């Protein structure tokens, strides 16, 4: 019997402790329709946000610049608007790669959060639950204080992977990998990595290195380039796409490991594979953006309120919602106090915390 045919999955599956749109009693809007709406909003947002800033550009000029660089004729799309070389450089070399990086980071963190919440059956789970953020921070802090900032993405990625291996290894050493053991192991690894990073900063940081370390730990996309787009794009294609396509399998975990095993799923192997995939995805995203909170925690819950808890729709819609959220969050970080720029992690926390409180309140009323 396939997962789709199983009678227990005929209902709107809701993992215990998660907030689902079905709680309101409304019939969820079609996932395909929501996907089309979010995709259109994302494309329009990229064109609009690239034009926002002191260079006085219009969305039509942005579209014309992009089409020319893609080898297309702007006239064919009604975007035959002239740009100076400086304006074209601002669009193609500065703002567009930064916003595409923001979109990919948001998509990766949101998908990872949705998967983490399903596998650990913990509504507060996010990509950093396994100590990935603390591990990446430890690696980044080490190279920044050594004066080797060029190695920051590599060091952050290596730190995140080391934390993931240590967490899963510790959980495995305690017995069969269960959600509770995984979460507890992640908390231990996170605390250890945070303590080591603080120790290194306390004894080594001097002068401007304090500011550089602090900026990275609060999350920033100010240094994003086309290389950042390549790193996050390849990571999402290789690790994110298989995870996004695992929705039907994750639905099998909605009623716990025993029910999933009864459906014929190899619970331990699937948990290892999906946790590994999300760890790789998160490590790649964190390596270029620094620590950005709330995206992986908030966006999956927000999408559940719209479409229900079925992961086949939840995962791709979370990716689109995460990308859309990060595009606007980074634009606010870049322009809100122009010419001064603030770390995007501050914006995501300021936006995410109130939204999470509202969702907690709705969940309380629904309960």
């Amino acid at each position: 019997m396939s997962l789709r045919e199983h009678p227990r999955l005929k209902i709107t599956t809701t993992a215990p402790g998660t907030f689902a749109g079905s709680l309101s009693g409304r019939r969820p809007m079609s996932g395909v329709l929501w996907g089309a709406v979010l995709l259109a909003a994302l494309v329009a947002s990229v064109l609009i946000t690239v034009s926002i800033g002191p260079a006085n550009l219009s969305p039509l000029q942005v579209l014309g610049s992009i089409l020319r660089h893609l080898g297309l004729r702007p006239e064919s799309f009604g975007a035959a608007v002239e740009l100076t070389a400086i304006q074209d450089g601002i669009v193609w070399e500065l703002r567009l790669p930064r916003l595409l990086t923001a979109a990919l980071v948001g998509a990766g963190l949101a998908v990872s959060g949705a998967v983490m919440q399903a596998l650990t059956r913990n509504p507060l789970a996010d990509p950093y639950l396994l100590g990935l953020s603390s591990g990446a921070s430890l690696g980044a802090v080490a190279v920044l204080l050594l004066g080797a900032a060029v190695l920051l993405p590599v060091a952050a990625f290596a730190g995140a992977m080391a934390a993931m291996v240590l967490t899963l290894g510790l959980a495995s050493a305690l017995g069969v990998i269960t959600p509770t053991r995984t979460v507890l192991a992640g908390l231990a690894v996170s605390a250890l990595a945070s303590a080591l990073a603080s120790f290194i900063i306390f004894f080594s940081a001097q002068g401007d290195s304090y500011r550089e370390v602090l900026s990275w730990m609060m999350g920033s996309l100010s240094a994003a380039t086309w290389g950042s787009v390549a790193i996050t794009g390849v990571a999402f294609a290789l690790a994110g796409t298989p995870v996004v396509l695992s929705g039907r399998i994750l639905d099998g975990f909605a009623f716990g490991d025993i029910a999933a095993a009864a459906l014929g799923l190899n619970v331990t192997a699937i948990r290892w594979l999906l946790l590994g995939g999300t760890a790789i995805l998160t490590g790649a995203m964190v390596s270029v953006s620094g620590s950005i909170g709330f995206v992986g925690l908030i966006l999956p819950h927000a999408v559940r309120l719209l479409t229900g808890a079925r992961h086949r729709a939840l995962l791709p819609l979370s990716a689109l919602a995460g990308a859309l959220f990060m595009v606007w969050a980074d634009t606010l970080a870049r322009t809100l106090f122009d010419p001064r720029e603030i770390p995007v992690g501050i914006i995501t926390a300021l936006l995410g915390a109130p939204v999470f409180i509202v969702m907690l309140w709705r969940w309380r009323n629904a309960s």
Side-chain angles (χ1 to χ4, degrees):
M1 180 180 293
S2 69
L3 293 177
R4 187 175 185 178
E5 295 167 337
H6 197 280
R8 299 182 71 174
L9 298 181
K10 292 290 186 184
I11 64 174
T12 302
T13 55
T14 307
T18 60
F19 316 116
S22 57
L23 290 175
S24 65
R26 292 182 289 105
R27 182 182 178 82
M29 189 173 164
S30 165
V32 175
L33 185 55
W34 272 117
V37 170
L38 289 173
L39 182 60
L42 178 60
V43 173
S45 295
V46 169
L47 293 177
I48 293 171
T49 52
V50 170
S51 69
I52 296 175
N56 194 24
L57 294 165
S58 70
L60 205 59
Q61 287 176 307
V62 173
L63 178 61
S65 174
I66 295 172
L67 292 174
R68 287 191 189 92
H69 284 281
L70 293 178
L72 302 174
R73 294 171 58 85
E75 298 81 8
S76 303
F77 297 86
V81 183
E82 294 297 327
L83 287 93
T84 65
I86 294 177
Q87 288 175 322
D88 186 61
I90 291 173
V91 172
W92 189 255
E93 300 296 337
L94 296 178
R95 294 183 187 171
L96 187 60
R98 174 170 177 161
L99 284 171
L100 291 179
T101 303
L104 287 164
V105 168
L109 294 179
V111 168
S112 298
V115 173
M116 291 292 299
Q117 288 160 14
L119 289 178
T120 63
R121 297 172 63 76
N122 183 341
L124 299 179
D126 72 357
Y128 304 139
L129 187 68
L130 300 185
L132 301 180
S133 177
S134 300
S137 297
L138 178 59
V141 165
V143 296
L144 285 174
L145 296 181
L146 288 173
V150 68
L151 297 176
L152 192 151
V154 177
F157 183 76
M161 292 301 99
M164 184 271 292
V165 171
L166 191 57
T167 296
L168 295 182
L170 179 58
S172 178
L174 297 174
V176 176
I177 295 181
T178 63
T180 302
R181 285 180 180 140
T182 305
V183 171
L184 293 175
L187 290 174
V189 172
S190 179
L192 177 62
S194 296
L196 290 174
S198 300
F199 180 81
I200 294 173
I201 293 172
F202 182 78
F203 274 99
S204 305
Q206 295 179 351
D208 291 339
S209 59
Y210 265 123
R211 186 181 182 85
E212 193 173 12
V213 170
L214 186 63
S215 177
W216 189 90
M217 295 184 76
M218 289 192 291
S220 176
L221 293 163
S222 60
T225 63
W226 283 110
S228 306
V229 178
I231 291 172
T232 52
V234 170
F236 195 87
L238 297 181
T241 302
V243 171
V244 169
L245 297 177
S246 67
R248 189 172 296 176
I249 295 175
L250 280 176
D251 282 338
F253 283 78
F255 296 98
D257 290 1
I258 296 176
L263 293 172
L265 298 177
N266 187 332
V267 174
T268 301
I270 291 173
R271 179 165 285 130
W272 265 97
L273 285 173
L274 290 179
L275 287 177
T278 55
I280 293 172
L281 190 59
T282 303
M285 301 307 164
V286 173
S287 70
V288 300
S289 68
S291 297
I292 297 177
F294 279 98
V295 178
L297 176 62
I298 295 296
L299 273 302
H301 288 309
V303 172
R304 285 190 188 95
L305 291 173
L306 298 176
T307 65
R310 284 182 180 274
H311 291 88
R312 192 170 58 173
L314 174 65
L315 296 181
L317 292 181
S318 294
L320 289 171
L324 184 62
F325 177 80
M326 275 300 298
V327 164
W328 282 104
D330 184 61
T331 301
L332 288 174
R334 177 170 58 86
T335 61
L336 200 57
F337 297 100
D338 187 48
R340 188 172 184 177
E341 185 172 318
I342 61 175
V344 69
I346 294 177
I347 298 295
T348 61
L350 288 175
L351 295 176
V355 171
F356 192 58
I357 291 172
V358 170
M359 286 193 292
L360 285 173
W361 193 258
R362 285 174 59 95
W363 178 67
R364 171 183 174 273
N365 292 335
S367 297

